[in-house]
Amino acid sequence: MKFVIAATLAASAAAFAPSKVAQTSTAIKAFEDELGAQPPLGFFDPLGLLNGDVDQERFDRLRYVEIKHGRISQLAFLGQVVTRAGIHLPGSINYAGDSFDSYPNGVAALIGPDSIPTAGLVQLVAFIGLLEIGFMKDVPGTGNEFVGDFRNGYIDFGWDDFDEETKLQKRAIELNNGRAAMMGILGLMVHEEIVPLGYDPDLPIIGHLV
């Protein structure tokens, strides 16, 4: 209760800080037309990451991080859906003959008494590092059109055949799906950790976590 009162007082005090309001207004004017500032929230920056004298380079860096986190979260959420549906890789995960489906889903597969072996985690980290260093980056001079465009001159899938309106629409869809996936995978992780407390809801798409 004390925390709630303190948080309320802090929020009230922030409302009377004119410099903060001025900085936020400047950021809104500078970036309110950027892709992703769309109904119903419009320009939404609750943490104030774009407050103050922020240039386009700073915005592009934040957008780059947002897109990458969104893509990772979409893969993570899809992984939860697939594995909890009973779909796993065939064969054994180690030389001891343990099958992939013998390990738990979600966070428990990485942390806990029944998690995959350390050698498996090392391989995962190494593979992600390889992707990060070698592929998931913007290579200058390869014709990439926007922040987060990792085609680098060798991946297309018909992108160049779209008109500009369609491209903007698809980029906006990716942003929204990534934002939803970030909230979705975070929610799954939190729910999984509170299951031992006796709360195991029947979640949409996923079902029960145990």
Side-chain angles (χ1 to χ4, degrees):
M1 186 64 180
K2 292 181 179 179
F3 175 80
V4 174
I5 295 175
T8 304
L9 291 175
S12 301
F16 293 96
S19 60
K20 187 80 170 181
V21 173
Q23 291 175 350
T24 302
S25 299
T26 302
I28 291 176
K29 291 178 181 179
F31 303 109
E32 63 182 356
D33 294 327
E34 289 284 351
L35 185 70
Q38 53 202 40
L41 296 177
F43 179 83
F44 186 62
D45 182 24
L47 299 180
L49 298 177
L50 293 174
N51 287 349
D53 187 16
V54 178
D55 56 13
Q56 187 67 38
E57 183 179 358
R58 167 67 173 171
F59 178 86
D60 288 344
R61 172 59 184 170
L62 293 174
R63 173 53 51 84
Y64 179 90
V65 173
E66 179 186 22
I67 290 175
K68 181 172 285 190
H69 286 180
R71 291 169 178 170
I72 293 171
S73 296
Q74 289 177 76
L75 290 173
F77 191 89
L78 180 61
Q80 286 269 12
V81 173
V82 170
T83 55
R84 292 186 183 281
I87 303 173
H88 298 84
L89 292 174
S92 302
I93 195 174
N94 55 22
Y95 290 120
D98 297 318
S99 62
F100 283 91
D101 60 3
S102 65
Y103 289 91
N105 301 309
V107 178
L110 303 176
I111 304 172
D114 299 321
S115 61
I116 63 177
T118 302
L121 290 176
V122 172
Q123 292 176 53
L124 285 174
V125 172
F127 179 66
I128 294 171
L130 175 65
L131 293 177
E132 185 77 12
I133 295 173
F135 302 98
M136 301 303 171
K137 61 181 181 179
D138 186 350
V139 179
T142 55
N144 295 337
E145 299 177 6
F146 52 88
V147 175
D149 184 355
F150 296 157
R151 292 177 298 155
N152 298 326
Y154 63 89
I155 298 177
D156 190 334
F157 298 119
W159 178 260
D160 291 332
D161 296 331
F162 297 132
D163 56 39
E164 291 303 318
E165 182 179 357
T166 303
K167 288 181 178 180
L168 285 175
Q169 180 187 31
K170 289 185 176 296
R171 289 174 59 196
I173 290 172
E174 182 191 25
L175 269 178
N176 281 338
N177 287 349
R179 292 166 177 173
M182 284 188 275
M183 299 301 296
I185 192 62
L186 178 62
L188 286 177
M189 293 169 67
V190 170
H191 275 83
E192 187 173 342
E193 290 302 307
I194 64 177
V195 165
L197 302 179
Y199 181 70
D200 180 25
D202 187 8
L203 300 174
I205 303 177
I206 297 295
H208 292 282
L209 297 182
V210 293

